[in-house]
């Protein structure tokens, strides 16, 4: 689901080989061989810099620093869609058919007042419009104009508990037909960032199915795979432990960084 | 070897000894332990950065100019297509020119069969298409490369004898023409100081190319761009920064090719020893000539 995905190949085989990885990988250059990259110790060591990167970036970027906003003239003719672009789940197809009239966004988890909001109700809330650049983990970028409800406003309505640490976005699609539903998460700082919105409009029109209708997340200081499409439920949690692979996102469960600031 | 490199001070001559060619030579300490450590750490980091960088590039093997990836702003693309005869063909496209690169770029061997991929499996880390792991390698090595670069640049500016090693002295500027002529004729002098071409090259690489690679890399980060809006702007947009990052990597490869070529041409053993143990053999008469001028 997401505008930003690339699929690692041979996942099954990789799993099988993961344990064998360390063999013969004594020197640096044997890193050229995939078995070295499959070794869990190596992966943990390499992955440890993610935290360093996050801390360093949080140090230089204030909580409020805004992603660049562009001029209307810079909007791309077509906003590139990636990942899931046409979900085939029967429930989703029914919602598309009736224009998401009975779609409801649920906000729950560690909150005092769980919310259920229809698309019409969401559109009545104060909105924010921003023309921003979408940066995909693959390397491409695309500029579009997004309108939606500021996530922080929704969270304020729901009143998160003091122990709330993350906001999880549960989606409607099975990426590449796999059994797991797409999901993503942000911490409270990115969730309350002024440009973090649940967008229902793209370039002044209702969000197309290819780009995540009826709503998608925009987290403008993060790479595209964080920008969950087809969002059905927003859950406030204190840990990812019991959610799917436990890493906080569909691609995170598949080896990508949870901190997608770079 | 009459004196140990570690006990002599930098650039201090040790007692002369005849060279195999007959001329008088002596051993000096050329590189400090800091320089030597930085050199080899850097080499390892750059190999990882280059190969994992090509892995990342392969996820979208097209470069653009500007803020975003519009096809009309394409600078370079690597891809594959079917020829009229139905054969798969890899190509490299730069501006309007297309080159057939089958087997290397665009269409190359991975394991037992051929695949569409930007750079070939032997050039990427990991070798199969695996963006997540490529990123892990890249950022791991980037932290080592970036922090050691900052430390080394500061060290180079603060230490007086490092400054003298890096920045050309006034007499060297006066000899610049002769130095170029000597280089063109492959006449190399084995002296303690770097010549002006070496110095200008190292200044350009240390203070130009390498920092530019770090900055253009950071300019691709959406968080950094929010923190420092001038960063993508100074490169002409995020996609321009990505293109410049790639060009910088190519420039480093070219630098390394020339660097290694000159290391071999001017005495592989002597040069390697100076970067491993610090000890370098200079030619006494060359050195005397240089001092006189």
């Amino acid at each position: 689901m997401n505008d930003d995905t690339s699929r690692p190949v041979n996942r099954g085989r990789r799993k099988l080989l993961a344990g064998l990885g360390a063999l013969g990988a004594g020197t640096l250059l044997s890193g050229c061989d995939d078995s070295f990259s499959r070794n869990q110790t190596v992966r943990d060591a390499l992955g440890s810099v993610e935290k360093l990167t996050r801390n360093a970036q949080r140090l230089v970027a204030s909580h409020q620093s805004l992603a660049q906003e562009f001029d209307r003239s810079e909007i791309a003719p077509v906003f590139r869609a990636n990942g899931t672009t046409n979900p085939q789940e029967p429930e989703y197809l029914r919602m598309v058919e009736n224009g998401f009239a009975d779609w409801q966004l649920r906000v729950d988890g560690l909150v005092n007042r769980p919310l259920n909001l229809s698309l019409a109700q969401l559109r009545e809330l104060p909105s924010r419009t921003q023309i921003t650049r979408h940066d995909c983990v693959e390397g491409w970028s695309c500029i579009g104009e997004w309108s939606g409800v500021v996530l922080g406003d929704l969270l304020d309505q729901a009143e998160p508990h003091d122990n709330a640490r993350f906001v999880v976005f549960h989606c409607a699609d099975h990426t590449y037909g796999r059994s797991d539903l797409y999901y993503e998460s942000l911490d409270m700082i990115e969730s309350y960032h002024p440009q973090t919105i649940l967008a229902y409009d793209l370039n002044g029109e209702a969000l197309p199915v290819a780009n995540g209708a009826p709503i998608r997340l925009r987290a403008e200081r993060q790479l595209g795979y964080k920008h969950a499409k087809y969002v059905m439920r927003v859950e406030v949690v204190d840990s990812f432990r019991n959610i799917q692979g436990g890493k906080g996102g569909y691609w995170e469960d598949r080896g990508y960084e949870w901190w997608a600031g770079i | 070897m009459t004196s140990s490199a570690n006990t002599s001070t930098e650039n201090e001559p040790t007692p002369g000894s005849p060279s195999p060619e007959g001329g008088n030579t002596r051993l000096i300490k050329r590189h400090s332990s800091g320089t030597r450590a930085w050199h080899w750490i850097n080499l390892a980091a750059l190999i990882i950065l280059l190969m994992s960088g090509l892995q990342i590039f392969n996820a979208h093997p097209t470069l653009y100019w500007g803020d975003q990836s519009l096809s009309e702003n394409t600078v370079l693309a690597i891809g594959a297509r079917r020829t009229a005869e139905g054969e798969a063909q890899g190509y490299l496209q730069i501006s309007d020119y297309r080159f057939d690169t089958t087997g290397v770029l665009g269409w190359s061997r991975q394991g037992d069969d051929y695949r569409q991929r930007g750079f070939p499996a032997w050039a990427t880390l990991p070798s199969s298409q695996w963006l997540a792991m490529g990123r892990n390698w890249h950022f791991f090595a980037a932290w080592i490369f970036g922090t050691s670069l900052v430390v080394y640049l500061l060290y180079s500016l603060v230490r007086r004898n490092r400054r003298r090693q890096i920045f050309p002295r006034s007499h060297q500027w006066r000899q610049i023409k002769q130095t170029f002529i000597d280089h063109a004729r492959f006449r190399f002098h084995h002296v303690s100081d770097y010549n002006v071409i070496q110095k200008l090259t190292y200044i350009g690489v240390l203070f130009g190319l390498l920092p530019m690679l770090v900055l253009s890399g950071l300019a691709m980060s959406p968080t950094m761009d929010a923190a420092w809006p001038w960063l993508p702007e100074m490169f002409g947009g995020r996609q321009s920064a990505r293109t410049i990052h790639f060009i910088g990597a190519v420039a480093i490869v070219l630098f390394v090719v020339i660097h290694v070529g000159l290391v071999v041409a001017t005495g592989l053993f002597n040069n390697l020893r100076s970067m491993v143990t610090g000890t370098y053999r200079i030619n006494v008469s060359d050195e005397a000539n240089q001092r006189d001028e």
Side-chain angles (χ1 to χ4, degrees):
Chain A
M1 124 166 262
N2 197 323
D3 272 0
D4 217 84
T5 46
S6 71
R7 331 136 232 197
V9 294
N10 284 341
R11 195 164 290 121
R13 204 172 118 234
R14 172 147 40 95
K15 259 185 186 166
L16 264 172
L17 287 169
L20 304 169
L23 296 173
T27 65
L28 182 65
L29 278 178
S30 62
C32 307
D33 184 55
D34 286 9
S35 60
F36 195 55
S37 292
R38 287 191 182 97
N39 179 269
Q40 196 55 49
T41 316
V42 172
R43 290 167 76 167
D44 291 346
L46 297 179
S48 64
V49 302
E50 178 189 339
K51 212 170 162 185
L52 188 62
T53 306
R54 189 191 70 210
N55 291 338
Q57 294 202 325
R58 279 272 158 83
L59 205 63
V60 295
S62 77
H63 293 181
Q64 301 291 311
S65 69
L66 295 179
Q68 187 184 355
E69 298 195 9
F70 294 83
D71 192 77
R72 209 161 239 135
S73 64
E74 293 171 281
I75 294 174
V78 177
F79 194 88
R80 183 173 171 150
N82 206 11
T84 305
T85 52
N86 195 8
Q88 292 303 306
E89 289 70 17
E91 200 187 334
Y92 182 79
L93 290 175
R94 269 197 302 279
M95 288 193 287
V96 173
E97 212 159 283
N98 69 7
F100 300 101
D102 47 10
W103 173 88
Q104 279 208 321
L105 178 72
R106 183 161 174 81
V107 182
D108 61 7
L110 301 176
V111 296
N112 291 330
R113 302 177 47 210
L115 309 172
N116 277 300
L117 295 159
S118 70
L119 198 50
Q121 285 172 311
L122 269 184
R123 284 181 177 277
E124 276 162 24
L125 295 171
S127 73
R128 182 186 160 91
T129 297
Q130 58 205 28
I131 301 172
T132 52
R133 191 191 65 222
H134 181 97
D135 297 332
C136 177
V137 69
E138 292 169 356
W140 53 267
S141 307
C142 197
I143 294 174
E145 183 192 62
W146 304 96
S147 301
V149 55
V150 177
L151 179 63
D153 292 351
L154 271 190
L155 292 173
D156 281 343
Q157 277 193 38
E159 297 173 12
H161 296 169
D162 290 341
N163 59 343
R165 288 186 59 208
F166 304 102
V167 178
V168 179
F169 306 88
H170 298 278
C171 307
D173 64 312
H174 295 88
T175 302
Y176 304 126
R178 297 209 182 93
S179 58
D180 303 334
L181 283 166
Y182 201 90
Y183 77 109
E184 256 307 336
S185 61
L186 299 175
D187 61 13
M188 301 313 277
I189 294 172
E190 289 309 302
S191 294
Y192 273 100
H193 185 264
Q195 285 172 320
T196 300
I197 63 174
L198 291 170
Y200 40 67
D201 283 346
L202 168 59
N203 298 337
E205 298 190 20
L207 190 63
V209 166
N211 302 102
I215 59 165
R216 79 169 306 170
L217 178 66
R218 297 298 310 166
E220 305 293 358
R221 303 194 298 186
Q222 297 274 300
L223 293 175
Y225 65 87
K226 300 298 278 191
H227 302 213
K229 305 200 286 191
Y230 318 107
V231 176
M232 298 286 129
R233 176 178 165 223
V234 174
E235 183 189 12
V236 179
V237 299
D238 61 356
S239 139
F240 310 132
R241 232 179 4 256
N242 300 317
I243 303 170
Q244 294 201 28
K247 303 265 176 65
Y250 180 89
W251 288 110
E252 286 85 334
D253 288 340
R254 286 155 181 80
Y256 286 79
E257 297 94 343
W258 178 82
W259 177 255
I262 186 162
Chain B
M1 208 177 291
T2 48
S3 118
S4 142
N6 295 327
T7 55
S8 64
T9 48
E10 222 159 312
N11 290 351
E12 182 119 4
T14 57
S17 60
S19 81
E21 302 90 46
N24 250 3
T25 65
R26 65 181 172 220
L27 294 170
I28 59 159
K29 185 182 172 195
R30 178 162 232 188
H31 299 297
S32 67
S33 53
T35 295
R36 276 137 53 202
W38 183 76
H39 177 272
W40 296 112
I41 290 170
N42 218 17
L43 173 65
L46 280 173
I47 290 171
I48 295 176
L49 283 166
L50 177 70
M51 295 180 69
S52 58
L54 296 180
Q55 164 73 236
I56 296 170
F57 172 88
N58 275 2
H60 188 79
T62 308
L63 298 173
Y64 311 85
W65 200 257
D67 273 309
Q68 54 181 334
S69 311
L70 301 174
S71 57
E72 63 261 35
N73 297 337
T74 301
V75 173
L76 176 151
I78 296 174
R81 59 171 181 179
R82 294 250 164 227
T83 62
E85 294 80 41
E87 292 279 305
Q89 184 191 65
Y91 65 82
L92 163 68
Q93 182 170 341
I94 299 173
S95 178
D96 290 335
Y97 301 96
R98 246 185 206 201
F99 307 94
D100 183 350
T101 52
T102 309
V104 185
L105 302 178
W107 184 257
S108 61
R109 206 184 174 92
Q110 182 182 310
D112 291 332
D113 45 14
Y114 279 76
R115 282 164 193 265
Q116 176 167 358
R117 49 179 297 147
F119 282 88
W122 55 261
T124 67
L125 175 64
S127 53
S128 60
Q129 199 76 48
W130 188 359
L131 175 60
M133 205 58 210
R135 284 167 51 81
N136 283 347
W137 279 110
H138 203 71
F139 299 136
F140 179 79
W143 268 106
I144 294 171
F145 171 75
T147 46
S148 64
L149 177 65
V150 170
V151 169
Y152 191 64
L153 290 184
L154 290 176
Y155 163 81
S156 293
L157 290 174
V158 170
R159 285 273 301 245
R160 220 183 81 156
N161 55 8
R162 262 305 284 169
R163 282 206 304 273
R164 227 188 267 163
Q165 273 181 331
I166 290 181
F167 297 102
R169 301 190 220 180
S170 53
H171 73 268
Q172 294 187 306
W173 283 117
R174 290 196 297 275
Q175 295 160 3
I176 188 163
K177 201 172 140 195
Q178 187 58 42
T179 309
F180 269 102
I181 292 169
D182 287 353
H183 258 73
R185 292 180 178 159
F186 276 71
R187 275 176 45 205
F188 303 111
H189 305 294
H190 295 93
V191 294
S192 55
D193 200 6
Y194 287 126
N195 67 56
V196 66
I197 297 178
Q198 281 174 302
K199 288 185 173 185
L200 292 177
T201 306
Y202 286 133
I203 291 170
V205 171
L206 280 175
F207 293 92
L209 184 57
L210 298 184
M212 189 198 76
L213 273 158
V214 173
L215 290 175
S216 57
L218 288 175
M220 283 185 264
S221 150
T223 299
M224 293 311 299
D225 289 355
W228 297 340
W230 49 265
L231 191 60
E233 208 169 306
M234 84 185 240
F235 292 105
R238 187 204 187 224
Q239 289 300 318
S240 303
R242 185 168 177 261
T243 299
I244 290 167
H245 198 67
F246 184 87
I247 292 170
V250 173
I252 288 216
V253 171
L254 288 178
F255 167 78
V256 169
V257 168
I258 295 169
H259 173 68
V260 171
L262 286 170
V263 161
V264 172
T266 60
L268 178 64
F269 174 76
N270 197 21
N271 284 315
L272 261 183
R273 177 179 56 188
S274 74
M275 202 42 98
V276 175
T277 67
T279 308
Y280 184 71
R281 186 179 293 280
I282 61 168
N283 188 306
V284 176
S285 56
D286 276 358
E287 184 78 3
N289 283 340
Q290 195 201 38
R291 296 252 158 106
D292 291 344
E293 281 173 275

